[in-house]
Amino acid sequence: MAVASCPPRPILPRFGYKESRFVAAPSLLPSCAGKGLYTVCSPPKQAVLGVSTNSPRNGYLCFPRKNLGGSWHYFKPIEGLNRLSYDNILHNPNKLSRYIVARSELAGTGNPDAWHPLSEYKLSSRVRGICFYAVTAVNAIFLFVLMLVAHPFVLLFDRYRRRFHHFIAKTWATFTVTPFVKIKYEGLENLPPPDIPAVYVSNHQSFLDIYCLLTLGRSFKLISKTSIFLYPIIGWAMFMMGVIPLKRMDVRSQLDCLKRCMDLTVKGASVFFFPEGTRSKDGKLGAFKKGAFSVAAKTKVPVVPITLMGTGKIMPSGMEGILNVGSVKVVIHKSIEGSDAEVLCNEARNTIADELNRQ
């Protein structure tokens, strides 16, 4: 029986090149296999599965039903496909062996460094994240003791503002953030005096936002999910600071939260809202809810818009375990006053959006 050999082809390069890493459909395989002929190709090599930078439309992964030993080859630059040639006897001259062709969803998503299991950059970010939370925990334990000792006196002499507790929170946030992140402030002169109640609003990009806002040193009441209050030390400290609990999907809880905010502002305390309601996944400013501005309009207190920039890159939403290198910019804008919640909402959002667009 005659034997025919496929033309020699170069072995597929390793990761990081632009050629496709996937196999063509059987109809595209070389036509050197004919009646009574063996298909003989180069000796098997270790196949390296990489990620293609070509479009997903051209990416295929081909698995033979049997005789899986083989090597990867690159046939034509125009086709941009790599094919698997393997030793196979064609028992039926009119039929090719069956293949299972699976579409690869990875094609088109590669990059030259895709073969690294974990880049040094991400590894260092994870280490920084671990150190960040270690510093947070150590500081929280010692400062919580001071807060606990002072709490009866705070309730007796400063029940609504709780300025001493907020001073402890500012110290905790400053000691935690300063070793890792540089914060630049702009517009500090626009902050209302500490004894003037106000509604503070800001965009929300990261878990790091809370730390940066606490460094401002204003005794505003934050709003937090009820589940956070169950955390040891941190949750207990939030309770003593007078942080307002909220069940997000509970309408009654939302109404109680707004009512409590209005009571606090009437009694001289300030409150803080993230009008977007949640952290932005892509860094873009979301729609504002009107709850914060209804509180300001009904109690006749000013709205203080604040723009946070850089926190989303340092600690991205959903990736709270890492801490990238970077700096944060906090911009305090001029206060807004009015009796129309809709107007206040639009003006505050436009102010923050304009600042974000300038960057």
Side-chain angles (χ1 to χ4, degrees), residues 73-124:
H73 291 281
Y74 176 69
F75 281 82
K76 292 182 180 181
I78 296 178
E79 293 177 356
L81 295 172
N82 299 287
R83 305 164 182 177
L84 178 64
S85 298
Y86 69 101
D87 298 335
N88 183 35
I89 300 176
L90 300 177
H91 298 287
N92 190 334
N94 297 323
K95 292 183 179 181
L96 291 174
S97 298
R98 295 180 180 178
Y99 289 81
I100 302 172
V101 181
R103 183 66 178 268
S104 171
E105 299 297 337
L106 294 177
T109 61
N111 59 73
D113 297 325
W115 64 276
H116 291 288
L118 183 63
S119 65
E120 294 181 1
Y121 179 73
K122 287 191 174 182
L123 181 60
S124 63

Side-chain angles (χ1 to χ4, degrees), residues 285 288 304-307 331-334 336 344-358:
L285 188 64
F288 276 14
V304 183
I306 299 176
T307 304
V331 181
I332 301 96
H333 304 280
K334 293 183 178 180
I336 304 171
L344 290 174
C345 179
N346 293 333
E347 190 171 351
R349 189 186 184 282
N350 291 337
T351 300
I352 296 174
D354 291 342
E355 185 65 35
L356 291 174
N357 291 335
R358 278 197 288 269

Side-chain angles (χ1 to χ4, degrees), residues 288-323:
F288 276 14
K289 299 178 181 179
K290 298 179 184 178
F293 308 99
S294 297
V295 172
K298 292 179 180 180
T299 57
K300 307 298 182 182
V301 298
V303 176
V304 183
I306 299 176
T307 304
L308 297 172
M309 290 172 285
T311 55
K313 294 181 179 179
I314 297 176
M315 186 180 286
S317 177
M319 302 176 66
E320 286 74 22
I322 69 172
L323 189 71

Side-chain angles (χ1 to χ4, degrees), residues 273-286:
F273 287 83
F274 290 115
E276 295 170 277
T278 186
R279 286 168 290 178
S280 173
K281 301 295 183 181
D282 54 6
K284 297 180 180 179
L285 188 64

Side-chain angles (χ1 to χ4, degrees), residues 45-237:
K45 301 283 184 179
Q46 180 181 2
V48 180
L49 181 59
V51 181
S52 173
T53 55
N54 293 335
S55 66
R57 188 172 300 174
N58 296 329
Y60 291 88
L61 186 62
C62 183
F63 302 95
R65 291 186 64 181
K66 49 188 176 181
N67 298 330
L68 195 57
S71 59
W72 296 83
H73 291 281
Y74 176 69
F75 281 82
K76 292 182 180 181
I78 296 178
E79 293 177 356
L81 295 172
N82 299 287
R83 305 164 182 177
L84 178 64
S85 298
Y86 69 101
D87 298 335
N88 183 35
I89 300 176
L90 300 177
H91 298 287
N92 190 334
N94 297 323
K95 292 183 179 181
L96 291 174
S97 298
R98 295 180 180 178
Y99 289 81
I100 302 172
V101 181
R103 183 66 178 268
S104 171
E105 299 297 337
L106 294 177
T109 61
N111 59 73
D113 297 325
W115 64 276
H116 291 288
L118 183 63
S119 65
E120 294 181 1
Y121 179 73
K122 287 191 174 182
L123 181 60
S124 63
S125 297
R126 290 183 182 276
V127 172
R128 285 169 56 86
I130 294 173
C131 295
F132 176 83
Y133 287 111
V135 173
T136 296
V138 172
N139 289 331
I141 292 173
F142 285 99
L143 294 175
F144 174 75
V145 174
L146 294 177
M147 188 179 290
L148 186 63
V149 172
H151 187 61
F153 301 97
V154 170
L155 292 179
L156 184 62
F157 299 104
D158 192 14
R159 187 178 187 86
Y160 300 108
R161 295 181 185 174
R162 305 190 184 187
R163 285 168 288 188
F164 180 79
H165 286 347
H166 282 275
F167 172 76
I168 295 294
K170 176 187 176 181
T171 305
W172 167 72
T174 302
F175 284 175
T176 301
V177 173
T178 302
F180 304 95
V181 180
K182 181 180 179 180
I183 304 178
K184 179 181 178 182
Y185 302 96
E186 183 177 312
L188 288 174
E189 66 278 2
N190 295 324
L191 284 173
D195 57 341
I196 300 296
V199 174
Y200 295 81
V201 295
S202 172
N203 60 313
H204 200 11
Q205 297 182 347
S206 169
F207 178 68
L208 196 62
D209 294 344
I210 303 296
Y211 291 86
C212 297
L213 291 168
L214 288 175
T215 61
L216 291 175
R218 289 296 184 268
S219 56
F220 42 66
K221 307 302 177 185
L222 295 164
I223 299 172
S224 176
K225 295 185 298 183
T226 54
S227 59
I228 305 297
F229 288 85
L230 300 177
Y231 292 178
I233 308 298
I234 299 297
W236 305 336

